[in-house]
Amino acid sequence: MTAVDRQWARPLPATSRYDATPPLRRGALLVTASLAALSGAVTTAAAVPALWRLWQLYAMLFGVFAAVEIVAVAAVLGWPTRKTAHFAALTAAVALALWVVSRPLGLLARFDPWQPADTVVGFTDYVIAGLQFVALFGLLVVARRRAHPRPSTLRRVSAWIVLFPVLLLVLATGTAGAVAAGDGVTGTNASTLLDSTSSTVEYCRPAGIPLAMDVYQPRTSATPAPVVLYLHGGGLFLGNRKPAGPGALLDGPRFTAVRDALTARGVAVASIDYRLAPAAPWPAPLADTKCAVRFLAANATALHLDPARIAAWGTGTGGTLAALLGTAPGFDAGQYAGVPSTVHAVVALAAPADFTDFTGLDAVTRASILLALGRAPATLREASPLTYAGPGAPPFLLAGGGRKSAEYANRLRAAGDPVTTGDGGPAEVTDFLVTALR
């Protein structure tokens, strides 16, 4: 053998051996982790247009991170090597770090940049963080484990069987998160100008977050009209003001039927977004609804409304908030200081009246209460209308059931307050409100 032959027969350096390893296979774990990263990036990108209307710097930051992560996912799926897997894992780690810095630690200035993503589902940003964690973990495992150039068919099939439910969950969660985060892009932007050309207005801006209100004027009204404030349901962590779309899945048809009946009989209707849990902990939803009442009273002239005839109507936990508007004192933080947040009638449909007693609750209901309100007994009492049942309440319509709503009605009656009970149908709700606001 010549010297040249001996030279070529020398073993390759370690770095060359690393580079010469075969590419990673597009196995179940790589695909699942990559789709988790893609879902997290797309959900973040869906919230960028709404965030742009608040602060362009954060919108550009989130948009760049989402775009880079999408490119990283395309790279690892198109050229699955350890380097591309490490790069995709790095982008997931950066996205997760951004969430930790801005949400749990609250270190970003001015306001919480995740709030625009949480306008329909109050934990959308937590979903994004969970997807990024799954992506980071999966990509690191793929990049660090030993390659199997020709794994057995049994090994491949077993991996897909084990991870297929996780893959479906990732896809479903990512799709739902993107739809929820992007819902704020549709519809009319909230205007700060109170004129007849805009039916969607900004009513309050707690912690820098603009909250929107849709105002539906009666068809004919020569004098200032009474107004009913509608509060959507959703357990305090789901839903929004819109009559259509993902946020209206819970009570959209019921809302539109009563809204149209009220406006046809000379009553205006205002429907609002309020901050959702867990992104905004209690008492943020109640403080927002009180601010909405003060907004209507303070701007009654510009909106052609009668400030002495404001009622509240809600379904589910929206009905709980309506009941609290009628009976709970305080919580008047924010704008329009000095303007009363008094309502003159309340409709609460299928509204829970008590959150302090968990006896007989199923696991889902118990979990939803803990997600929305936490475990503190003081908070649970504070959020329960039953706590405030006493004299001086406005006329109430309690219908459709609701946890301890019958006991709530009895306590209000015992205190001398006017209470009506019924089935909560659109005609009954409309007649009650029109009569109460005469």
Side-chain angles (χ1 to χ4, degrees):
M1 180 182 291
T2 65
V4 174
D5 293 333
R6 287 194 299 270
Q7 179 179 0
W8 286 108
R10 293 173 183 171
L12 293 172
T15 54
S16 298
R17 287 198 304 268
Y18 178 86
D19 293 337
T21 55
L24 302 172
R25 299 185 68 88
R26 297 182 185 89
L29 183 57
L30 176 62
V31 172
T32 301
S34 299
L35 290 180
L38 180 63
S39 298
V42 170
T43 305
T44 301
V48 167
L51 183 57
W52 180 267
R53 296 197 289 263
L54 302 181
W55 201 351
Q56 288 80 8
L57 177 62
Y58 282 164
M60 289 188 289
L61 180 66
F62 278 49
V64 167
F65 282 160
V68 170
E69 188 166 21
I70 292 172
V71 171
V73 171
V76 76
L77 289 177
W79 301 273
T81 66
R82 289 182 178 179
K83 288 184 179 180
T84 55
H86 278 130
F87 175 54
L90 176 62
T91 61
V94 171
L96 187 59
L98 177 63
W99 178 82
V100 171
V101 167
S102 57
R103 168 64 77 201
L105 299 181
L107 298 181
L108 293 186
R110 186 172 174 178
F111 75 101
D112 179 2
W114 293 104
Q115 281 284 356
D118 296 327
T119 56
V120 175
V121 179
F123 52 87
T124 302
D125 62 296
Y126 290 83
V127 170
I128 295 174
L131 290 169
Q132 299 293 5
F133 178 81
V134 170
L136 176 60
F137 178 79
L139 290 167
L140 287 178
V141 170
V142 168
R144 293 181 63 86
R145 70 181 180 180
R146 295 182 59 186
H148 293 272
R150 288 188 176 89
S152 66
T153 302
L154 178 61
R155 183 186 182 91
R156 293 198 302 269
V157 172
S158 299
W160 279 107
I161 291 175
V162 170
L163 289 176
F164 189 69
V166 180
L167 178 61
L168 289 181
L169 180 61
V170 165
L171 290 175
T173 303
T175 301
V179 171
D183 189 62
V185 180
T186 62
T188 306
N189 293 341
S191 171
T192 56
L193 301 176
L194 302 180
D195 55 44
S196 59
T197 63
S198 177
S199 60
T200 301
V201 297
E202 178 186 315
Y203 71 89
C204 283
R205 190 178 280 251
I209 302 300
L211 298 176
M213 170 189 289
D214 289 338
V215 181
Y216 302 91
Q217 294 287 356
R219 298 173 188 174
T220 56
S221 180
T223 59
V227 59
V228 175
L229 177 65
Y230 175 73
L231 307 171
H232 67 80
L236 301 178
F237 58 86
L238 298 172
N240 66 3
R241 74 186 192 283
K242 297 179 182 179
L249 294 176
L250 296 172
D251 44 28
R254 179 185 295 181
F255 164 70
T256 54
V258 177
R259 178 201 65 190
D260 294 344
L262 286 172
T263 54
R265 296 176 65 174
V267 179
V269 176
S271 177
I272 65 168
D273 287 337
Y274 52 83
R275 288 172 294 168
L276 300 174
W282 184 267
L286 180 56
D288 294 346
T289 57
K290 292 239 176 185
C291 192
V293 176
R294 297 197 305 274
F295 168 85
L296 291 171
N299 297 282
T301 301
L303 295 172
H304 198 56
L305 302 174
D306 185 349
R309 294 187 292 168
I310 301 175
W313 154 45
T315 58
T317 48
T320 301
L321 292 174
L324 291 171
L325 283 177
T327 57
F331 304 99
D332 284 299
Q335 296 160 260
Y336 311 106
V339 178
S341 56
T342 305
V343 295
H344 299 86
V346 171
V347 174
L349 306 180
D354 180 66
F355 297 110
T356 61
D357 184 5
F358 284 50
T359 304
L361 291 180
D362 59 82
V364 174
T365 303
R366 183 189 299 264
S368 67
I369 293 174
L370 295 177
L371 176 65
L373 299 173
R375 296 178 177 273
T379 300
L380 297 173
R381 285 194 302 272
E382 190 177 83
S384 300
L386 200 58
T387 304
Y388 308 98
F396 265 73
L397 170 61
L398 298 174
R403 184 167 175 77
K404 293 195 177 182
S405 62
E407 181 180 346
Y408 184 49
N410 292 334
R411 287 199 189 182
L412 289 173
R413 289 193 182 104
D417 301 320
V419 178
T420 302
T421 56
D423 60 7
E428 181 180 54
V429 172
T430 302
D431 291 340
F432 174 84
L433 289 169
V434 170
T435 301
L437 294 175
R438 282 178 181 169

